[in-house]
């Protein structure tokens, strides 16, 4: 960044010409300067939202691929920025990590997710995403244990989702944290599998409960033979290692049918249900979907669910 750029962001625009009879033409701020201002404003608003609890949760169901039985819900954090509107998690979550606010954000999500899940039927589990930075020696297991005690949720009903970034930089700390979480009885799944930077070597030493196959592979099903081959190989890998495999981003019936033919364990995506808030009415509709109606082609309950959002 050029020297002097930041101090001059709030200064008035500079006239291009200061002589002559024509009125001065104002030069607009450089795109780089506008970007810095927007980032600073976003950071400020994010800090304020964390201080005020200005987030809410949406939920997306995960079901058995063959029967459609409801298994758990994934908690998805949402932020409606005042004066701007919804901000995508892909935008504000990395900023929270860069500012060192990931613990505060993750604990807000974890606490509120577990508080809601404590009122659900006991058979339904809850999945919560956590930052990979926790696994670099930040004592995630102690924080999770405290929230479990606070909310009274059975540890066996909680599953944490992490990405392959946990293995970048400190394998020893990551493995220690995994062992402590397992000792608590908490499940751990590997999210966005197949899109990270790590090798497969960590699967030799870390017994994940499940692999979540990234939507990148699901998008290519029925249109790309190579994608189908890779997907089948991942499913065979999971079965051989004793790990469940969940296919993310399932949006079309053709994708579901291919995954069923390949004996995929679980599916998640718009074909099942879009993410949305949770009420007792919506939970009841989700439980009706548990009777395989969607998988038999009857989408009446799904339409009723979406009508409540």
């Amino acid at each position: 960044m050029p020297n002097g750029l930041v101090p001059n962001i709030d200064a008035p625009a500079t006239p291009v010409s200061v002589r002559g009879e024509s009125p001065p033409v104002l030069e607009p701020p450089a795109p780089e300067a506008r970007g810095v201002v927007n980032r600073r404003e976003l950071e400020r608003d994010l800090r304020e939202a964390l201080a005020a609890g200005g987030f809410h949760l949406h939920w997306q169901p995960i079901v058995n691929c063959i029967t459609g039985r409801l298994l758990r819900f994934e908690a998805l954090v949402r932020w409606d920025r005042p004066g701007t509107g919804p901000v995508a998690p892909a935008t504000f979550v990395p900023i929270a990590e860069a500012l060192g606010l990931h613990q505060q954000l993750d604990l807000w999500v974890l606490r509120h997710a577990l508080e809601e899940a404590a009122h659900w039927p006991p058979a339904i589990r809850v999945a919560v995403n956590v930052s990979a930075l926790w696994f670099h020696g930040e004592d995630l297991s102690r924080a999770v244990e405290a929230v479990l005690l606070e909310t009274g949720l059975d540890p066996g009903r909680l599953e944490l989702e992490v990405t392959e970034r946990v293995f970048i930089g400190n394998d020893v700390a990551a493995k220690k944290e995994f062992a402590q979480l397992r000792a608590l009885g908490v499940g751990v799944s590997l999210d966005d599998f197949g899109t990270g930077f790590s090798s497969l070597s960590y699967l030799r030493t870390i017994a994940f409960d499940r692999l979540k196959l990234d939507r990148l592979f699901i998008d290519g099903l029925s249109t790309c033979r190579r994608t189908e081959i890779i997907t089948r190989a991942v499913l065979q890998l999971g079965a051989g290692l004793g790990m469940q495999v969940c296919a993310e981003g399932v949006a079309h019936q053709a994708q579901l049918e291919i995954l069923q033919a390949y004996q995929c364990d679980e599916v998640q995506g718009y074909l099942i249900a879009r993410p949305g808030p949770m009420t007792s009415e919506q939970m009841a509709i989700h439980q009706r979907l548990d009777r395989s109606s969607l998988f038999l082609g009857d989408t009446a309950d799904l339409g009723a669910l979406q009508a409540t959002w």
Side-chain angles (χ1 to χ4, degrees), residues 23-179:
V25 178
L26 298 183
E27 180 180 336
E32 295 84 355
R34 290 197 300 272
V36 172
V37 172
N38 291 340
R39 169 72 178 226
R40 286 181 172 175
E41 291 176 347
L42 190 62
E43 292 176 356
R44 178 202 63 206
D45 291 350
L46 181 58
R47 290 182 186 274
E48 292 177 356
L50 282 168
F55 301 94
H56 60 279
L57 295 179
H58 279 186
W59 299 92
Q60 189 169 36
I62 299 170
V63 303
N64 182 283
C65 183
I66 305 300
T67 68
R69 181 171 63 89
L70 178 61
L71 302 172
R72 63 189 178 281
F73 286 93
E74 180 179 353
L76 302 168
V77 63
R78 297 291 186 260
W79 177 30
D80 291 331
R81 185 184 179 194
T84 302
V87 180
T91 297
F92 69 81
V93 171
I95 293 177
E97 290 184 330
L99 295 175
L101 301 174
H102 56 282
Q103 288 192 8
Q104 193 175 346
L105 178 61
D106 284 353
L107 288 176
W108 186 94
V109 174
L110 184 67
R111 183 171 292 107
H112 285 77
L114 268 56
E115 286 175 351
E116 289 199 42
H119 300 287
W120 298 348
I124 300 177
R125 304 178 70 212
V126 55
V128 179
N129 294 274
V130 293
S131 170
L133 298 179
W134 281 99
F135 290 82
H136 296 173
E138 296 188 6
D139 210 357
L140 173 63
S141 57
R142 181 174 298 180
V144 170
E145 184 178 20
V147 178
L148 285 168
L149 290 172
E150 176 186 337
T151 59
L153 191 81
D154 182 347
R157 294 181 59 197
L158 173 62
E159 183 165 302
L160 300 179
E161 296 191 4
V162 300
T163 68
E164 295 176 0
R165 287 197 302 142
V166 300
F167 299 102
I168 298 176
N170 196 338
D171 285 2
V172 175
K175 291 174 182 177
K176 178 182 178 181
E177 200 62 63
F178 277 116

Side-chain angles (χ1 to χ4, degrees), residues 155-204:
R157 294 181 59 197
L158 173 62
E159 183 165 302
L160 300 179
E161 296 191 4
V162 300
T163 68
E164 295 176 0
R165 287 197 302 142
V166 300
F167 299 102
I168 298 176
N170 196 338
D171 285 2
V172 175
K175 291 174 182 177
K176 178 182 178 181
E177 200 62 63
F178 277 116
Q180 292 172 337
L181 289 169
R182 296 301 288 251
L184 287 176
V186 173
V188 181
S189 64
L190 186 59
D191 199 11
D192 300 334
F193 181 72
T195 63
F197 301 99
S198 301
S199 68
L200 294 176
S201 61
Y202 52 78
L203 294 180
R204 296 171 53 240

Side-chain angles (χ1 to χ4, degrees), residues 223-306:
T223 60
C224 177
R225 180 60 178 165
R226 296 174 68 88
T227 297
E228 291 187 26
I229 292 172
I230 294 172
T231 300
R232 182 184 293 182
V234 172
L235 293 170
Q236 292 174 340
L237 175 66
L241 293 174
M243 301 177 189
Q244 298 279 299
V245 177
C246 175
E248 298 183 279
V250 178
H252 305 290
Q253 189 71 29
Q255 296 169 340
L256 175 63
E257 291 172 358
I258 292 173
L259 291 166
Q260 289 174 326
Y262 291 168
Q263 295 296 300
C264 182
D265 300 295
E266 303 170 354
V267 290
Q268 175 182 7
Y270 284 4
L271 180 66
I272 312 305
R274 292 176 178 268
M278 184 67 70
T279 65
S280 57
E281 178 188 10
Q282 289 155 348
M283 174 61 76
I285 296 174
H286 275 297
Q287 288 183 283
R288 288 206 299 271
L289 285 173
D290 200 4
R291 294 195 292 266
S292 308
S293 60
L294 176 64
F295 291 74
L296 297 175
D298 180 3
T299 60
D301 281 347
L302 180 61
L305 173 68
Q306 293 174 338

